[in-house]
Amino acid sequence: MSDALINGLAGAGGGIIAQIITYPLQTVNARQQTERDLKKEKRKVGTIEQMCQVVKQEGWERLYGGLTPSLVGTAASQGVYYYFYQIFRNKAETAALLSQKKGIGDGSVGMLSSLVVAALSGCVNVLLTNPIWVVVTRMQTHTKISKKDHSNRLATTSPEETALPVIEPLSYGTNHVIQEVYDEAGLLGFWKGVFPTLIMVSNPSIQFMLYETMLKKLKKRRALSKQGNNGVTALEIFLLGALAKLGATVVTYPLLVVKSRLQAKQVITGDKRHHYKGTLDAILKMIRYEGFAGFYKGMNTKIIQSVLAAAVLFMVKEELVKGVRLLLIKDCINNMKPKPL
């Protein structure tokens, strides 16, 4: 089994576990990013309070709306990313060794090369899996509104606001969302938000660059210590993954908000401030009507969710890779043993 396949499968497994643990936070964050109710914004509803509101008004299951396609997307996304990351990484390492033979460099992959490897892997991942995340975002931001609540809102809101609440069918499964997206924009609808998402490959690029740089320095420090042990524990992997994701999230969060706005269901009629024709149109309208603060809605929730998810993912992935390699070594040793006659 190749290193690329091992890392791809381990990444998918780690991603699924991290996704299940942090999914309620993802749902709340998606709603915060796409929230356009000025009254709620002024109240500044916190993460825990909003989770309680969702449970009280819509039930526990709404915190896990879109979990099934999300798990499929996570497995596919992490698997694709780590598979191609390892392939590109191997090529970068080969190129670095060839350069060393020519007297250039020390034979290791530098920060710039790591950034390029992560960016290429991210682009392949985005282009292949974007349709899944369009469906997931729709399901996460879907809100059940009863006819009674809708009538009350119509009576107490201005004509400009009445266009926002929409009564959705109670059945809002994966097939329903797929059909809805296709009816609205055809096949191209499944690649909504792909442009800011492609730009956002800088997030995992920055994340992996920080992670591998810190990991390399830690191993080097361990090797130089008296013990001479350069092993890294699961807890240290957890903390390094958390720190790397924190730095990447702070830098790229505005793009994530724009992507969510484009992928969420939009109101075609009524208030045009909330209807985006594309990435540039969304950015300009957000700046005009919400200010730069609009690009950081729900950031606290996202930092908690993404840092926790990344830390769990890195820890589980590394442990799975170690486990699989150990099993392969044992299997190889057993096959080399002479068989009794």
Side-chain angles (χ1 to χ4, degrees):
M1 187 181 292
S2 68
D3 266 355
L5 185 57
I6 291 173
N7 277 272
L9 293 175
I16 288 174
I17 293 172
Q19 187 82 332
I20 292 173
I21 292 173
T22 65
Y23 197 78
L25 287 170
Q26 289 185 40
T27 299
V28 170
N29 183 237
R31 294 190 178 203
Q32 290 172 338
Q33 290 172 346
T34 57
E35 180 60 64
R36 301 162 205 178
D37 188 331
L38 296 178
K39 293 180 179 179
K40 286 186 179 180
E41 287 176 22
K42 289 178 181 179
R43 285 187 58 230
K44 293 184 179 179
V45 179
T47 303
I48 301 299
E49 184 180 354
Q50 189 161 355
M51 289 179 70
C52 292
Q53 285 181 357
V54 172
V55 173
K56 183 178 179 181
Q57 297 172 7
E58 305 174 51
W60 280 98
E61 69 277 4
R62 291 309 306 151
L63 287 176
Y64 289 89
L67 178 61
T68 301
S70 181
L71 290 178
V72 173
T74 297
S77 184
Q78 296 297 334
V80 167
Y81 185 87
Y82 281 109
Y83 180 79
F84 283 99
Y85 180 85
Q86 195 60 45
I87 288 177
F88 294 140
R89 180 80 184 182
N90 290 342
K91 291 183 180 297
E93 288 174 351
T94 301
L97 290 173
L98 289 174
S99 296
Q100 185 186 28
K101 290 179 180 179
K102 296 177 181 179
I104 304 172
D106 60 357
S108 63
V109 179
M111 290 179 64
L112 181 59
S113 296
S114 294
L115 190 65
V116 172
V117 166
L120 288 173
S121 306
C123 287
V124 174
N125 175 33
V126 167
L127 292 173
L128 292 177
T129 64
N130 195 76
I132 300 174
W133 299 115
V134 171
V135 173
V136 171
T137 301
R138 288 287 183 104
M139 296 181 75
Q140 286 178 329
T141 55
H142 168 66
T143 306
K144 292 181 181 179
I145 303 176
S146 65
K147 291 184 178 180
K148 182 179 179 181
D149 292 336
H150 184 60
S151 299
N152 291 338
R153 291 191 186 188
L154 288 175
T156 58
T157 56
S158 63
E160 192 176 54
E161 291 177 309
T162 55
L164 294 178
V166 180
I167 300 177
E168 295 288 0
L170 293 178
S171 175
Y172 202 70
T174 305
N175 292 335
H176 182 103
V177 178
I178 292 172
Q179 187 63 50
E180 181 182 78
V181 174
Y182 182 78
D183 290 342
E184 287 178 9
L187 288 175
L188 290 178
F190 292 98
W191 274 269
K192 280 187 176 181
V194 72
F195 183 69
T197 309
L198 280 172
I199 299 175
M200 272 196 65
V201 298
S202 58
N203 183 293
S205 299
I206 294 170
Q207 175 188 349
F208 272 87
M209 181 183 69
L210 292 173
Y211 171 74
E212 295 209 350
T213 300
M214 290 187 291
L215 182 61
K216 186 178 179 181
K217 287 184 177 180
L218 181 60
K219 286 183 176 181
K220 187 175 181 180
R221 184 179 297 178
R222 288 280 169 82
L224 294 173
S225 66
K226 293 180 179 179
Q227 291 81 8
N229 179 23
N230 64 347
V232 182
T233 66
L235 178 59
E236 287 170 332
I237 292 292
F238 182 95
L239 294 174
L240 290 179
L243 287 172
K245 189 62 178 180
L246 177 60
T249 300
V250 171
V251 173
T252 61
Y253 190 76
L255 287 170
L256 187 62
V257 175
V258 173
K259 182 208 74 166
S260 296
R261 292 287 183 96
L262 291 170
Q263 291 183 343
K265 185 174 182 179
Q266 298 182 45
V267 180
I268 299 176
T269 58
D271 193 348
K272 296 299 181 182
R273 295 179 303 174
H274 301 143
H275 176 63
Y276 308 125
K277 298 176 183 178
T279 302
L280 183 59
D281 184 49
I283 293 172
L284 293 176
K285 284 182 177 177
M286 288 177 68
I287 292 174
R288 181 178 179 182
Y289 298 116
E290 302 174 57
F292 287 100
F295 291 96
Y296 289 92
K297 286 182 176 178
M299 186 173 178
N300 291 339
T301 305
K302 183 60 182 177
I303 287 176
I304 296 170
Q305 181 273 320
S306 60
V307 169
L308 178 60
V312 172
L313 188 153
F314 276 116
M315 182 177 68
V316 173
K317 173 187 171 291
E318 293 295 334
E319 291 302 305
L320 286 175
V321 169
K322 288 179 185 177
V324 172
R325 285 176 176 167
L326 185 61
L327 288 174
L328 289 175
I329 291 172
K330 286 183 178 180
D331 186 55
C332 184
I333 292 173
N334 289 334
N335 288 334
M336 291 175 64
K337 288 179 179 180
K339 295 179 180 180
L341 299 174

